[in-house]
Amino acid sequence: NAGVTQTPKFRVLKTGQSMTLLCAQDMNHEYMYWYRQDPGMGLRLIHYSVGEGTTAKGEVPDGYNVSRLKKQNFLLGLESAAPSQTSVYFCASSLRASYNEQFFGPGTRLTVL
Amino acid sequence: QQQVKQSPQSLIVQKGGISIINCAYENTAFDYFPWYQQFPGKGPALLIAIRPDVSEKKEGRFTISFNKSAKQFSLHIMDSQPGDSATYFCAASSGYKLSFGAGTTVTVRA
């Protein structure tokens, strides 16, 4: 049982390049989330999904897109990376909606030059 | 604008001492208040959580105190150990979305 995994662990991009971050969970969770973590800002929700085939915007969605074609996978895309997207990205999942633990992946450290 | 305000930003405590982290919120719809612990290079992990129908919850050396009328809650780490050195995030939710505080870095000196 690997829990929540993320690939890649590190990535350096040039401004304007695109990339996709992959999140996978093996806990059969319905809900999945993408956060970004910046110093002094805590974790901010980018996009989330309440089930296979669904996605919704979070607190800071601009510049990102997501897809959830399979229940176990949640992809985060950056179409045209900007230096402001330099951050550590975390994926999380939870079984239910309310009063429920979110399980986090190990993170992806992204630098945009 | 952060919905959950957390303080202090960092604190240093001696081994065996007490660490106290405070959080405040405005949204009265919040009904679940978890604390997450994060070690360097790792993702956050749930430490302890409370619902607003109780004023205190204790798990081992970790205690959440909750004041519904003041819209404040706090984490107390008793008998702090070097292994407790980490960043702690408070959070609040009314459903499946969590709003996190900015985090507190705790350093426990041996």
Side-chain angles (χ1 to χ4, degrees):
Chain A
N1 191 338
V4 179
T5 58
Q6 293 182 233
T7 53
K9 287 184 170 50
F10 304 93
R11 185 73 186 268
V12 178
L13 290 178
K14 294 181 179 179
T15 297
Q17 288 185 317
S18 63
M19 77 163 294
T20 300
L21 283 67
L22 172 64
C23 175
Q25 52 94 4
D26 61 1
M27 298 174 282
N28 201 34
H29 284 174
E30 288 292 334
Y31 301 86
M32 296 188 74
Y33 317 81
W34 275 107
Y35 293 90
R36 61 177 289 172
Q37 184 177 23
D38 303 291
M41 303 288 286
L43 291 99
R44 292 181 292 169
L45 184 64
I46 303 171
H47 286 281
Y48 63 99
S49 169
V50 300
E52 181 179 313
T54 74
T55 63
K57 294 180 180 180
E59 182 185 354
V60 288
D62 294 342
Y64 306 94
N65 56 76
V66 288
S67 64
R68 188 146 179 227
L69 300 180
K70 295 182 179 180
K71 185 177 184 178
Q72 63 268 36
N73 295 338
F74 196 27
L75 279 62
L76 178 70
L78 286 73
E79 291 185 346
S80 179
S84 61
Q85 295 177 305
T86 293
S87 187
V88 181
Y89 292 86
F90 288 99
C91 175
S93 70
S94 64
L95 179 62
R96 293 182 297 273
S98 302
Y99 315 125
N100 207 229
E101 178 178 1
Q102 289 190 13
F103 292 84
F104 283 79
T108 295
R109 183 174 293 275
L110 175 66
T111 301
V112 182
L113 301 176
Chain B
Q1 183 179 359
Q2 280 193 303
Q3 297 195 55
V4 180
K5 296 192 187 315
Q6 183 173 349
S7 63
Q9 187 174 4
S10 64
L11 67 90
I12 299 173
V13 63
Q14 292 296 121
K15 180 181 175 182
I18 301 173
S19 303
I20 302 174
I21 305 169
N22 300 300
C23 289
Y25 65 97
E26 288 297 326
N27 187 347
T28 55
F30 288 146
D31 59 3
Y32 176 64
F33 301 87
W35 285 86
Y36 281 78
Q37 180 188 54
Q38 184 181 31
F39 294 105
K42 305 292 185 182
L46 180 67
L47 180 65
I48 186 174
I50 197 169
R51 297 187 195 182
D53 52 346
V54 297
S55 60
E56 185 175 283
K57 183 174 182 180
K58 183 176 181 179
E59 289 185 2
R61 296 183 293 105
F62 300 90
T63 300
I64 300 178
S65 297
F66 188 83
N67 185 329
K68 187 173 181 178
S69 61
K71 292 184 284 187
Q72 296 175 347
F73 58 110
S74 60
L75 177 70
H76 291 66
I77 307 174
M78 312 299 287
D79 187 26
S80 296
Q81 299 297 311
D84 298 332
S85 296
T87 299
Y88 295 81
F89 294 95
C90 61
S93 76
S94 59
Y96 44 82
K97 290 192 290 181
L98 283 173
S99 294
F100 285 88
T104 297
T105 300
V106 174
T107 302
V108 181
R109 297 258 193 248

